[in-house]
Amino acid sequence: MPASDPTVPAAACSKCGGAVIEGDVCPRCLLDLTLEFPSSGKAEGSWMDAFEEQTASAGGYEIIEELARGGMGVVYRARHRGLNRIVALKMILPQQLRIPSVLERFRSEAKAVAALDHPGILPIYEVGELGGIPFFSMKLAEGGSLAQHAHEWRERPRGAVQLIAQVARAVHHAHERHILHRDLKPGNILLSRDGAPFVTDFGIAKWLDRDSGLTLDLSAMGTPHYIAPEQAAGDSFKLTPSADVYSLGAILYELLAGRPPFNANTPLETLRLVTDSAPPPPRTINPAIPLPVELICLKCLEKDPAARYASAIALAEDLESWLDGGNIATRPAGIPERTRRGSKRSRLPAILGFVLIAASITAAIIVYSRWQRPAPFIATPSGNSIAVLPFEDSSPQKDQEYFCDGISEEVLTALTKIEGLRVVARTSSFAFKGKGVNTTEIGAQLNVAHVLEGNVRREGNRIRITAQLL
């Protein structure tokens, strides 16, 4: 059989030494390839010399330096001689030219970006082929990639939220034109000198309104840390825009927490975590993250695509609503739901679930037995009524706010099932959170006969929940 036959391992993988079927990288390493490997110096080699020579007479490009390199292609800083314009020039590596899938992905990327026109998507200037080497030139983003600056956002939640909102709007523009990115990650978001983001690298983009053999390519899976569970499972034919919404949430998570939602020692182990485990709430890693922003992150990272934001624009609008001081559309998941999600990892959430259900039932029985008594602190309460205040966090670390709010909501939900009992809505009772208003005044302002308050104290794996009905 000829040595060039693609079914015959021709060499060892340049990354791990494993068997190679196509190109110079094995299938396993293809899972985690990026275009983020730095290099320096002017491009060298006869093939680049030939390229420059052929473009010179046509007023083509002068290669200045190499910017990034991956398993499929390389990106150069170049000057267009005819226009005297500095651009980013992307080309396929010569050793990859014999692989049909690589050529097809390269051409698909050019077609995808050419179909888009949005200030948040890096535009293509020219597509061509010279010296047998396909290329396209793009706007040069002088600020580098978001991956290079990710550490700068951990203490700037508002800036991170604003940036991801801009990216989400650009991604929505692609979705409106039936293009799914499938490989959104910090390395594929470039920045201008003033920090404006550009989405780039549509190399494994999927056209939602047409079939493509690229969906079966192992290397078209995306980067493990940022892909949705359904994409990690290989369901490429079933992918929807919610897969990109998941990736946007994973990027926001990393900017705020300083690490991706899932980060194992190997790509395959990371993929297993993506499909089987719930991400730790980012506030457990960085308590400075605002609670609404954490809720937005976790909604994006739901395992069920239907439980995420319906679109990238819906995500952008929720982020912008928080920036403007408004309410967000999402809310904490109920305690039973969070218990179900975490049941594979620990028995503690299940125990907590039973504790909270018991607390809810107990509170309901107490209220039911007392609802016809007049409240001592209000003259004319409005019938049989109660307000559930957000439970306070009395833990030494003060890191249980998310859990405290969840308890309050579960109790409130249980009480609403009692016939004839008026329960004040969450938005009204939670409005007093952190305001320092005493219980008597809250009862008077909400015109209720009863007020339920409580606190949570956690030390290690022990949790103490105290509730008081007034």
Side-chain angles (χ1 to χ4, degrees), residues 196-350:
F198 298 102
V199 179
T200 186
D201 203 343
F202 285 77
I204 63 171
K206 172 180 171 60
W207 296 79
L208 295 172
D209 58 348
R210 68 188 73 170
D211 189 15
S212 171
L214 291 180
T215 57
L216 299 177
D217 192 333
L218 181 64
S219 64
M221 288 185 65
T223 305
H225 302 93
Y226 309 100
I227 62 174
E230 63 271 24
Q231 190 172 350
D235 295 334
S236 296
F237 288 111
K238 300 179 181 179
L239 293 185
T240 67
S242 64
D244 281 348
V245 169
Y246 180 98
S247 300
L248 290 168
I251 297 170
L252 178 58
Y253 186 109
E254 179 173 356
L255 294 183
L256 297 171
R259 46 152 285 188
F262 302 102
N263 190 19
N265 292 329
T266 67
L268 292 180
E269 178 62 16
T270 298
L271 290 174
R272 188 191 67 77
L273 293 175
V274 168
T275 56
D276 296 342
S277 302
R283 283 162 53 85
T284 63
I285 303 171
N286 179 10
I289 299 172
L291 177 60
V293 178
E294 176 179 76
L295 297 180
I296 292 173
C297 269
L298 294 177
K299 184 175 179 66
C300 293
L301 298 175
E302 290 282 0
K303 301 297 184 190
D304 181 3
R308 300 172 203 149
Y309 286 96
S311 64
I313 195 64
L315 167 60
E317 289 173 349
D318 227 9
L319 292 170
E320 290 164 354
S321 178
W322 178 77
L323 288 170
D324 294 338
N327 294 324
I328 63 173
T330 189
R331 55 174 290 179
I335 296 297
E337 174 63 13
R338 290 201 298 274
T339 301
R340 180 187 66 79
R341 295 174 191 166
S343 61
K344 293 183 180 180
R345 294 182 298 145
S346 172
R347 294 182 59 193
L348 179 60

